[in-house]
Amino acid sequence: MAVDRLYALLERLGNLLRTEERAAGLRHGLQPVHLQALRYLQSCNRYSNTPAALTEYLGLTKGTVSQTLLLLEEKGLLRKQPDTEDRRVVHLLLTEDGRAVLKEALPPELFKRALSGLPGEGEVLEATLTGLLRALQTANAQRSFGACGTCKHFQREGPGRFRCGITKEPLSREDSQLLCREHEAVPPGA
Amino acid sequence: MAVDRLYALLERLGNLLRTEERAAGLRHGLQPVHLQALRYLQSCNRYSNTPAALTEYLGLTKGTVSQTLLLLEEKGLLRKQPDTEDRRVVHLLLTEDGRAVLKEALPPELFKRALSGLPGEGEVLEATLTGLLRALQTANAQRSFGACGTCKHFQREGPGRFRCGITKEPLSREDSQLLCREHEAVPPGA
DNA sequence: CGCATTTAGTATCGAGTCGATACTAATCGG
DNA sequence: CCGATTAGTATCGACTCGATACTAAATGCG
């Protein structure tokens, strides 16, 4: 029974957020999925700003995402930059307009206000929901897209000096907070 | 910052649930919104099983919901029963087939398993999310659709004997657990 | 009562998402 | 060097959703 109620709650919250996103995007002629794409591109790292990574993040097919990106590019909210190493790959970079739209639209004002009324700043809620999300993602064989600094390949070399164990490249403090498609959570008890 | 992370979390959970609903509905030729409609109709009370109530619940327009209901009726998952008092109103009743589809599809198996791995049974999570949902609903001037027994018009007359302060009708214990479109939360400190 | 207003629900249309399929081009692997 | 894989695009059809317009029943106010 508690499972059913929790499911209903999450479903309803998801619907509400979508409705708000729809309203927020309407002002710019954007759909919910467009805002979600922009938000992802704003918070992912330089290894993860590609159509393929966005496809995995959104859980859609690559054809669908390709259309989404076409529209965003036409509107001038992002631009495509060919990868210098692998010429099949393009990188998606937000334009100033894209950043401006996001800043104006997300998260919705109503959400911020509703959240401010919650007790305790929501750290516990964030931790619980993260756990739930991880469980669902592993169950669906999906990637976690967590912050770089919480990955098991993240190496600390000194104060403010980090390195990625996969690419072997150095990482800044800002890098460590961005989402990565290669992210794997640190195994419990490490 | 915490607000942004929480927003992203809820958005992602919502997307995941939609994806799972899409997969679950595919087996019956149903879309996510169809399963959501069926689930609502299964858990709402006799005052709230109308197209108008469902429209408010889902946050869509009545035209959209009308189409959804047409499809569900054609598939034999629900039937329409004219109201005896107000001849503009119809009541939506799940058929046996409708109930069977729901039982098979919702909540998704993966969700149940993921939740079972969470610490502490989720009562705290349920309470927190309910609070967040209520806050968002009041901010959007939406109805809460809470369980009848948690409404400020719910009257206790004895063990297992209740009454609705609006309709003045008696309510059973089962009635008290169903969702109502007229639901208003008990004001804090009552 | 009588008539305008409101409410419940339906019908239709167009814009847009999304998955499926098929395709090109580049890279990888033996 | 050539088949297999991977990144991305193009096109099509099914479907959702909002907007608009509509009917029918109830309500309210003079």
Side-chain angles (χ1 to χ4, degrees):
Chain A
M1 276 305 109
V3 174
D4 290 283
R5 286 199 305 273
L6 260 175
Y7 183 82
L9 269 171
L10 287 170
E11 191 189 79
R12 305 206 59 198
L13 278 167
N15 280 353
L16 241 163
L17 261 56
R18 276 184 70 84
T19 302
E20 292 218 33
E21 271 180 2
R22 195 176 291 278
L26 200 63
R27 298 192 288 271
H28 307 96
L30 298 176
Q31 302 284 330
V33 69
H34 300 143
L35 290 176
Q36 291 180 21
L38 292 178
R39 190 174 54 67
Y40 170 76
L41 292 175
Q42 187 180 45
S43 43
C44 73
N45 67 14
R46 59 183 179 273
Y47 309 131
S48 312
N49 59 354
T50 67
L54 180 59
T55 297
E56 291 183 70
Y57 181 85
L58 293 176
L60 303 174
T61 61
K62 57 183 183 177
T64 299
V65 171
S66 184
Q67 280 178 303
T68 298
L69 294 173
L70 210 61
L71 185 146
L72 290 175
E73 196 182 10
E74 276 170 11
K75 284 191 180 287
L77 304 182
L78 62 80
R79 62 190 179 82
K80 294 178 181 171
Q81 187 177 59
D83 190 281
T84 51
E85 309 272 310
D86 188 334
R87 286 161 57 201
R88 293 171 305 180
V89 176
V90 299
H91 292 272
L92 307 164
L93 304 173
L94 290 190
T95 62
E96 272 315 305
D97 281 1
R99 248 176 272 274
V101 165
L102 258 185
K103 192 170 180 182
E104 193 271 331
L106 285 188
E109 203 51 44
L110 287 176
F111 182 80
K112 291 189 217 162
R113 253 180 291 163
L115 206 63
S116 70
L118 275 189
E121 277 303 313
E123 273 101 8
V124 179
L125 180 58
E126 185 181 338
T128 313
L129 290 182
T130 303
L132 181 58
L133 180 61
R134 290 287 176 269
L136 281 169
Q137 283 169 334
T138 55
N140 285 29
Q142 273 195 351
R143 294 174 182 274
S144 58
F145 284 94
C148 173
T150 67
C151 175
K152 74 178 187 185
H153 298 112
F154 184 74
Q155 300 169 355
R156 293 158 207 281
E157 302 196 325
R161 291 179 51 236
F162 314 109
R163 189 173 296 273
C164 171
I166 300 177
T167 66
K168 310 295 182 195
E169 290 181 6
L171 298 168
S172 72
R173 193 179 298 277
E174 293 75 41
D175 287 334
S176 72
Q177 294 173 7
L178 298 176
L179 308 185
C180 182
R181 65 186 296 197
E182 305 291 347
H183 177 272
E184 288 180 65
V186 179
Chain B
M1 277 305 108
V3 176
D4 290 282
R5 286 199 305 272
L6 259 175
Y7 183 82
L9 269 172
L10 287 170
E11 190 188 80
R12 305 207 62 200
L13 278 167
N15 280 353
L16 243 163
L17 261 54
R18 278 182 70 83
T19 302
E20 292 219 31
E21 271 180 0
R22 195 176 290 277
L26 201 62
R27 297 194 288 271
H28 307 97
L30 299 175
Q31 303 284 331
V33 70
H34 300 142
L35 290 176
Q36 291 180 22
L38 292 178
R39 191 174 55 65
Y40 170 76
L41 292 175
Q42 188 180 45
S43 44
C44 73
N45 67 14
R46 60 183 179 274
Y47 308 132
S48 312
N49 58 355
T50 67
L54 179 59
T55 297
E56 290 183 69
Y57 181 85
L58 293 175
L60 303 174
T61 61
K62 58 183 182 176
T64 298
V65 171
S66 185
Q67 282 179 302
T68 298
L69 294 172
L70 210 61
L71 184 146
L72 291 175
E73 196 182 10
E74 277 170 10
K75 283 192 180 284
L77 304 182
L78 62 79
R79 61 191 180 83
K80 294 179 180 171
Q81 188 177 58
D83 189 281
T84 51
E85 308 272 311
D86 188 335
R87 285 161 56 201
R88 294 172 305 181
V89 176
V90 299
H91 292 272
L92 306 165
L93 305 172
L94 290 189
T95 62
E96 273 314 305
D97 280 2
R99 247 176 273 275
V101 165
L102 258 185
K103 191 170 179 183
E104 193 272 328
L106 286 187
E109 203 52 45
L110 287 176
F111 181 79
K112 290 190 220 166
R113 253 182 290 163
L115 204 64
S116 70
L118 276 190
E121 275 305 311
E123 272 101 9
V124 179
L125 180 57
E126 185 180 337
T128 313
L129 290 181
T130 303
L132 181 57
L133 180 60
R134 291 286 176 268
L136 281 169
Q137 283 169 333
T138 56
N140 285 31
Q142 272 195 350
R143 294 173 183 274
S144 58
F145 284 94
C148 173
T150 67
C151 176
K152 73 177 186 186
H153 298 111
F154 185 73
Q155 299 169 356
R156 294 158 206 280
E157 301 196 324
R161 293 179 48 237
F162 314 110
R163 190 173 296 275
C164 171
I166 299 177
T167 66
K168 309 295 181 194
E169 290 181 4
L171 298 168
S172 71
R173 195 179 295 278
E174 292 75 42
D175 286 334
S176 73
Q177 295 174 7
L178 298 176
L179 308 186
C180 183
R181 66 185 297 198
E182 305 292 348
H183 177 272
E184 288 181 63
V186 179

